[in-house]
Amino acid sequence: MKLSLLTENLAEQHTRQVVRVAYTLVLLIIVFLVVFGLTRLAKVHESLTQIVGNDQVAIEMLFRMQQTSRDRSVLLYRIASSQDPFERDEQILRYNMLGNQFGEARHKLSGLNLHASDQALLVQQWKDVLTTVEIQKNVIELATQGLLQAAQDMLNREAIPAQDKILESINSLLENQIVTSHEDARRIQSQQWQTRYLMIAGGLLAALCVLLIARYVNRRMGKLISGLSSTARALHESNHHLEFIQQAVDQHNIVSIADVHGDITYVNDLFCQISLYSKQELIGKNHRLLKSGKQPDAVFDDLWQTISSGKIWQGEICNRNRQGGYYWVATTIVPMLDDQGIPSQYISIRTDITAIKEAQQILLRSKTELEVLVRERTLQLQEHEEVINTITSAAQDAVIMIDHQGEVTFWNPAAEKMFGYAAEETYKHSLLRLIAPASHYAVFAKLLQTGEGPVTGATSEIQARRKDNTEFPVEISLSGVNFQGNWHVVAILRDITVRKISEQRLTQLATTDTLTGTYNRRYFNEILNNELSRAHRYGAPLILILMDIDHFKQVNDNFGHLIGDRVITQLSAMISATLRETDVLARWGGEEFTILVPNCDDACGLRLAEKLRALIEIAEFPDVGKVTCSFGVTGFRADDDPQTIIKRADDGLYRAKTAGRNRVEFG
């Protein structure tokens, strides 16, 4: 029998050695495939990122240059055709702004990694741009001097052909960039297919190796089983005894839980039995209570250093029970880590190794106790889960959870109502594609990787999207949760549409006049302060106009205040339609209005006031007929503050009133 056992042991050792070598080979193949695949994919991803970034920016800048060139051509034609100098000045400002946008786009484009031919074409284009800009300046200068026919002739003869040449070069650059993008995409796709083919081939090779190993192990195990059958009866009694001992060892547990200071927060009954302390005597006490003094302090220093760093400690400890007796336990201490990776408590699992028979009795008893503990813990977890489900189901805010792959794993009823998706429609779908704007993709991605981000621990506002693609404002709070080694994101969202509407309404009420819809006096004072600061800083011209309806008291006395209010409303609408977007109209009080005109000198201000006066004079007002207004105009001076400039405009208005009304006076 001994010879048979020796032969079987040698055969088993040989089989294990062959299996180890074979599995090592398979593992090496798999590791090679993983490393190779990841390396190739990383290179492909890096190349793709660079290409996409470069091509996307290049195409975007070319489209921007193309659009601004066309817009400038349209504006140049309007400038050369406009009879109103006030409107022409505004168009010239817009034309110059588009030129700056064209220059910024071309500067970004020239800084990209372009082909030599594209760089040469871009250099030639710049020369054409300089020539075209000079021609366009001449057209604007002729138009400004009032020579509209000459400006239009130069526009058709020189400016438009030069601008068309620039557009042709932009189109050529755009076509070249699109062709280059397609070529790069085909090259990246070819690299990806090569990597896939190699990984598939390696996987097939590894699978073949596994099949060969399984076949070899099958054959060897068949021989071993047939050889062991002759000795099975002789070893049956011994194996039964060993299985009984193994079962007893596997089922024993002496459990305790301590906080970060080593103070006991939980012990099971087996712990109390072996230590002879009751739970009341142990809970809240430090583990030093059981220290026997039989071991050097270095053992416990190593223990604390290990578990404090978040690692598991294993070793043997000699403890002293309540009656002074000593007992040895094999101990495993497992730190429980919080979300920051810092130990929050320690779970100790011990095995009594004082005597085998005593250990068997304690371990058998421990099995039943642990089963009760597991059942109790399971019931507690179920209760906690039911409470959480009840809270989230009753919550008015949407509560959503996504896993580390960005897919929805929880969607409460409030989320269904808010976004229009039923829970079953969202599971295993990307939350970002369902409701979130593209600007928040990076925030979610960082949360799923690290559990941290710029919006964690704070509340922010975003525009969300419903199932019907309508957008609405929400207040969102995000937090990361580490679950089984992966970061998940919990999002709590609240629909703030009503609040936003209220805020807008309050802002409107605080800044506008309820009768005319124009700005009120308080908000106009804020704008005046800002414009005066800008004028002081940059020396920009600024005009202030005060106007008053002549004999308005007679309108109220003869026709009533309701008709008077209609006159004021119609007058404010007429003025608003005449002013530029940059001009500011406000109701100063009663029948008085004030107008703030940026980038307008004294002559420009007088023309505007006279234009308004004439427009009002010829207008018909229902129930009243004709109405006239008096105007006081003044321009910004270097030493002005709000009081001085308003005083001069008011003085001008007073002179207009005393000089017979329906006139404009400069103050």
Side-chain angles (χ1 to χ4, degrees), residues 489-500:
V489 174
V490 177
I492 300 176
L493 303 98
R494 175 173 296 174
D495 188 346
I496 57 173
T497 303
V498 175
R499 192 184 79 188
K500 283 296 183 182

Side-chain angles (χ1 to χ4, degrees), residues 598-617:
N599 298 317
C600 181
D601 57 17
D602 295 348
C604 170
L606 286 171
R607 286 198 304 271
L608 175 60
E610 182 60 33
K611 179 179 180 180
L612 293 173
R613 186 202 64 77
L615 183 65
I616 296 169
E617 183 181 23

Side-chain angles (χ1 to χ4, degrees), residues 513-518 547 549 552 555 561-579 585 587 590-591 593 612 615-629:
D513 176 61
T514 55
L515 176 63
T516 63
T518 61
M547 57 176 290
I549 303 176
F552 186 72
V555 173
H561 288 279
L562 182 60
I563 299 300
D565 287 345
R566 290 179 184 174
V567 171
I568 292 174
T569 303
Q570 182 180 348
L571 182 67
S572 65
M574 186 186 308
I575 298 171
S576 297
T578 307
L579 298 178
L585 171 65
R587 188 180 181 191
E591 68 274 17
F593 291 87
L612 293 173
L615 183 65
I616 296 169
E617 183 181 23
I618 64 175
E620 286 289 337
F621 291 84
D623 301 320
V624 175
K626 298 291 185 178
V627 170
T628 62
C629 291

Side-chain angles (χ1 to χ4, degrees), residues 277-288:
Y277 286 96
S278 67
K279 289 186 178 181
Q280 291 76 13
E281 293 174 321
L282 290 171
I283 300 299
K285 301 296 191 301
N286 195 277
H287 264 293
R288 289 191 296 269

Side-chain angles (χ1 to χ4, degrees), residues 135-168:
I135 296 172
Q136 292 174 343
K137 286 183 178 178
N138 293 335
V139 172
I140 294 174
E141 184 175 354
L142 289 173
T144 305
Q145 294 173 358
L147 303 176
L148 298 183
Q149 185 59 45
Q152 293 175 2
D153 292 341
M154 180 174 287
L155 175 66
N156 295 323
R157 185 179 63 256
E158 298 181 34
I160 292 179
Q163 187 67 28
D164 290 341
K165 188 175 181 181
I166 294 174
L167 287 173
E168 289 176 1

Side-chain angles (χ1 to χ4, degrees), residues 423-440:
E424 56 270 15
E425 294 182 88
T426 64
Y427 292 149
K428 300 302 180 181
H429 285 76
S430 171
L431 177 66
L432 304 181
R433 306 300 177 190
L434 288 176
I435 67 169
S439 58
H440 277 64

Side-chain angles (χ1 to χ4, degrees), residues 23-125:
Y23 274 112
T24 301
L25 177 61
V26 173
L27 182 61
L28 289 175
I29 293 174
I30 294 173
V31 170
F32 170 77
L33 288 175
V34 172
V35 173
F36 175 80
L38 290 177
T39 303
R40 286 296 298 269
L41 289 176
K43 290 182 179 178
V44 169
H45 182 267
E46 181 180 357
S47 300
L48 183 61
T49 301
Q50 293 176 351
I51 291 169
V52 169
N54 188 82
D55 292 350
Q56 184 177 5
V57 173
I59 292 173
E60 182 182 352
M61 293 303 105
L62 286 169
F63 274 120
R64 188 176 300 176
M65 291 167 63
Q66 185 183 61
Q67 186 62 40
T68 54
S69 295
R70 291 174 177 171
D71 292 344
R72 278 167 63 89
S73 297
V74 173
L75 276 176
L76 190 63
Y77 178 81
R78 292 178 179 174
I79 291 171
S81 304
S82 177
Q83 298 289 338
D84 189 350
F86 198 76
E87 180 181 359
R88 183 169 54 247
D89 289 343
E90 183 178 0
Q91 291 170 347
I92 292 173
L93 290 176
R94 174 64 178 165
Y95 170 85
N96 292 333
M97 183 180 69
L98 290 174
N100 293 334
Q101 293 178 0
F102 181 92
E104 292 174 358
R106 187 194 175 280
H107 179 71
K108 289 183 179 179
L109 181 63
S110 62
L112 299 176
N113 185 19
L114 302 176
H115 290 285
S117 59
D118 292 341
Q119 289 285 3
L121 190 58
L122 196 61
V123 171
Q124 180 59 42
Q125 181 203 66

